[in-house]
Amino acid sequence: MTSKSGQSSTAGSPLAPGWLEVPADLNALHEPLWAAGVERNSDGELTIEGLTVSELQRQYGTPLFVLSETDFRARARAFSDAFNDAFADICGGVDVYYAGKSFLCTSVVRWVEEEGLRLDTASGGELAVAARAGIPGADVALHGNNKSDGEIHRALDMQLGRIVVDSLDELDRVAAIAANRGDTAKVMLRLTPGVHAHTHEFIATAHEDQKFGLSMAGDSTEKAGLSAAEEAVAAAVRHGSIDLLGLHCHIGSQIFEPDGFALAAEKLLDFLAAMQTKYSIVLPELDLGGGYGIAYTPVDTPRPAAEIAQAMAAVVRSKCAALGISAPRISIEPGRAIVGSTTFTLYEVGTLKTVRVDSPGAGGDVTHPRRYVSVDGGMSDNPRPVLYDADYSAILASRASDAAPQLSRVVGKHCESGDIVVRDVYLPKDVAAGDLLAVPGTGAYCWALSSNYNYLARPGVVAVRDGSARLIVRGETEEDLLNRDMGV
Ligand SMILES: Cc1ncc(COP(=O)(O)O)c(C=O)c1O
């Protein structure tokens, strides 16, 4: 059998996971994985808005994060438009807070602001980026389960639109700090609705046992019958220095189905209505967090933002009607769904080796080849495969190839056998040292989680817009790495 490009399609390796198919055309780009504007040119080389990856390597080196600003802005707008449309008749629209933890630098803050979004931060450092970018504090939220006094002061100095309080302890601390300053803190309470969504399924029980949020379970505090969530509402109402805006939840990440979001929204609305009645208050805001999934491999099929937004809006509309309350203003906090697919990481191939591996379940005497393709980065620029067993895909980027597919494992250069960039991928057999590989879907939680393990310099980030590229975060130098070593 022969594919469109003339490649022979071979049977898959028995070592490959069940979901991984041998691609019909190894040169083809599976569209959901890539930013708009990424394609192969007539020479077969990967380009972004016409810039070839070899030019990018010459100018900026590898590894390199290549981010499409055009695509980032389009995804931010698409999310915001989809949710604003779906909720327009319910609460006048939605406030979209871009989750900065996924990838943050001052340029990104400016794009977010220019596209009409707000910013979700989770530390004093992220607030420093927000401040340097000049976004108004009113458009910024601060999260975190262990905010320092300094971070709380900074939030009040910047007059943040909301501090998302995570525990009873913290509520008292925020109240005391605000009172001492003669200030009022605008607060949302982060609740754990007992809905934890993970990847494709959600489980509506059990997830009390984690560090985030105030439990909604009836017996979660020592005060008989009061949940931690209710105790926090009661305390917030008592504190003169707290302006209680509403409730927040975040049920997980990389979620494809809207059901978990909808269930969490229902639970929070039930609670919100009960608190409004019991404490004679109005809670005007409800934040349903982030977690919308993206494609990392060809088998991932994320739903369009509009579909999720419509499903969530339908639930909020009917629940508010059933409870007889006017709908609170809804906010969401997508990170990965905005930045994840805007970026690919460019690596140069170095060492290659092939090992023979026992066929699973075949008794040890049948072995199959697995090729290890080493690249010039690894777990220091993308720890997600090590941390979460995350799957990625990769393509040969510097040229097209008609060679047959070979099951490959893309690995980094760190002193760690778990240093895997892409666990299983079919790459052309003729991949060789000096070739460039591109790994798509690395915009979220890759650069943000990067490290200097083995004293590797963290890569730079290049943003591409209108056919030109510019560094928005420069890569580290050896001097940067040595700067903090006091040598005493
Ligand atoms: C509170 C909160 N909001 C939003 C997000 C963003 O999640 P995602 O990037 O999956 O949309 C996270 C991620 O951990 C989070 O903890």
Side-chain angles (χ1 to χ4, degrees):
M1 222 168 99
T2 304
S3 75
K4 274 184 267 162
S5 67
Q7 291 166 347
S8 303
S9 73
T10 50
S13 164
L15 303 180
W19 57 265
L20 183 67
E21 290 191 356
V22 184
D25 179 355
L26 283 176
N27 299 310
L29 301 180
H30 180 71
E31 198 234 331
L33 297 174
W34 297 91
V38 177
E39 52 194 21
R40 282 194 193 272
N41 65 15
S42 52
D43 295 332
E45 185 172 356
L46 196 74
T47 62
I48 174 165
E49 297 193 10
L51 303 170
T52 61
V53 288
S54 54
E55 275 167 56
L56 291 170
Q57 184 194 31
R58 257 193 307 280
Q59 210 175 340
Y60 304 106
T62 51
L64 180 68
F65 288 99
V66 182
L67 181 158
S68 165
E69 176 182 347
T70 315
D71 198 53
F72 183 103
R73 287 177 181 272
R75 286 175 199 270
R77 274 197 306 275
F79 237 87
S80 172
D81 289 351
F83 274 83
N84 272 304
D85 287 353
F87 282 87
D89 67 313
I90 301 175
C91 52
V94 168
D95 297 315
V96 181
Y97 287 76
Y98 167 69
K101 69 204 76 180
S102 56
F103 173 63
L104 193 66
C105 64
T106 53
S107 309
V108 160
V109 178
R110 282 193 286 267
W111 306 341
V112 161
E113 206 189 347
E114 283 163 15
E115 299 304 334
L117 279 69
R118 300 180 181 207
L119 181 67
D120 155 16
T121 63
S123 72
E126 290 184 5
L127 282 181
V129 178
R132 181 184 274 191
I135 188 171
D139 291 343
V140 179
L142 176 66
H143 272 283
N145 66 302
N146 187 23
K147 301 172 190 73
S148 67
D149 288 1
E151 287 170 327
I152 295 166
H153 276 289
R154 190 172 212 160
L156 294 169
D157 288 344
M158 288 175 68
Q159 301 184 319
L160 291 202
R162 55 179 62 170
I163 299 175
V164 185
V165 164
D166 210 89
S167 63
L168 287 161
D169 265 8
E170 188 180 86
L171 182 65
D172 289 343
R173 232 151 27 86
V174 171
I177 290 173
N180 281 338
R181 295 165 53 111
D183 227 333
T184 304
K186 294 194 167 81
V187 160
M188 304 277 284
L189 298 175
R190 178 169 177 170
L191 311 187
T192 47
V195 178
H196 177 83
H198 180 68
T199 316
H200 300 275
E201 82 280 359
F202 68 92
I203 312 158
T205 52
H207 288 271
E208 299 297 322
D209 194 8
Q210 48 123 337
K211 71 173 184 172
F212 290 114
L214 291 146
S215 171
M216 294 172 72
D219 54 357
S220 54
T221 68
E222 279 157 24
K223 293 198 180 152
L226 276 200
S227 66
E230 178 168 352
E231 207 180 305
V233 170
V237 170
R238 275 197 313 272
H239 285 301
S241 57
I242 296 285
D243 176 6
L244 181 59
L245 300 178
L247 308 175
H248 172 282
C249 70
H250 171 76
I251 60 169
S253 266
Q254 187 57 359
I255 302 161
F256 291 148
E257 304 300 325
D259 321 28
F261 298 116
L263 182 57
E266 284 188 315
K267 288 190 146 206
L268 263 78
L269 284 168
D270 275 333
F271 182 77
L272 181 140
M275 293 301 101
Q276 292 193 149
T277 307
K278 185 162 175 185
Y279 294 94
S280 305
I281 51 173
V282 176
L283 297 172
E285 301 269 356
L286 177 62
D287 190 325
L288 297 172
Y292 312 99
I294 64 163
Y296 286 107
T297 72
V299 293
D300 293 331
T301 50
R303 306 282 184 93
E307 196 180 319
I308 300 173
Q310 295 291 349
M312 288 167 68
V315 164
V316 170
R317 190 182 289 109
S318 66
K319 190 72 187 175
C320 288
L323 290 166
I325 58 170
S326 41
R329 174 87 179 175
I330 300 292
S331 43
I332 56 167
E333 300 171 334
R336 181 193 320 265
I338 291 176
V339 71
S341 304
T342 64
T343 303
F344 63 84
T345 310
L346 193 61
Y347 298 103
E348 183 174 321
V349 173
T351 312
L352 294 117
K353 80 163 188 177
T354 300
V355 297
R356 306 276 322 173
V357 180
D358 289 349
S359 189
D365 51 350
V366 185
T367 63
H368 297 275
R370 187 196 313 281
R371 180 177 53 173
Y372 280 81
V373 178
S374 297
V375 295
D376 51 355
M379 61 191 289
S380 55
D381 58 73
N382 186 359
R384 293 190 67 255
V386 188
L387 279 175
Y388 311 121
D389 269 341
D391 287 312
Y392 282 87
S393 59
I395 57 157
L396 174 57
S398 41
R399 61 188 172 88
S401 167
D402 277 344
Q406 174 159 17
L407 183 69
S408 305
R409 180 161 288 173
V410 180
V411 293
K413 59 180 285 160
H414 293 279
C415 297
E416 195 73 49
S417 54
D419 173 26
I420 291 167
V421 178
V422 184
R423 189 173 303 278
D424 296 291
V425 62
Y426 288 99
L427 289 171
K429 242 190 170 111
D430 63 353
V431 164
D435 279 332
L436 296 177
L437 294 189
V439 175
T442 56
Y445 307 107
C446 291
W447 185 89
L449 286 168
S450 60
S451 76
N452 291 125
Y453 180 43
N454 292 139
Y455 271 71
L456 258 65
R458 281 173 293 190
V461 184
V462 150
V464 177
R465 188 183 184 190
D466 298 333
S468 61
R470 67 186 196 286
L471 268 183
I472 55 169
V473 183
R474 74 162 170 80
E476 284 173 326
T477 60
E478 255 179 29
E479 207 182 333
D480 291 324
L481 293 178
L482 294 174
N483 258 344
R484 288 181 305 139
D485 182 335
M486 305 306 284
V488 288

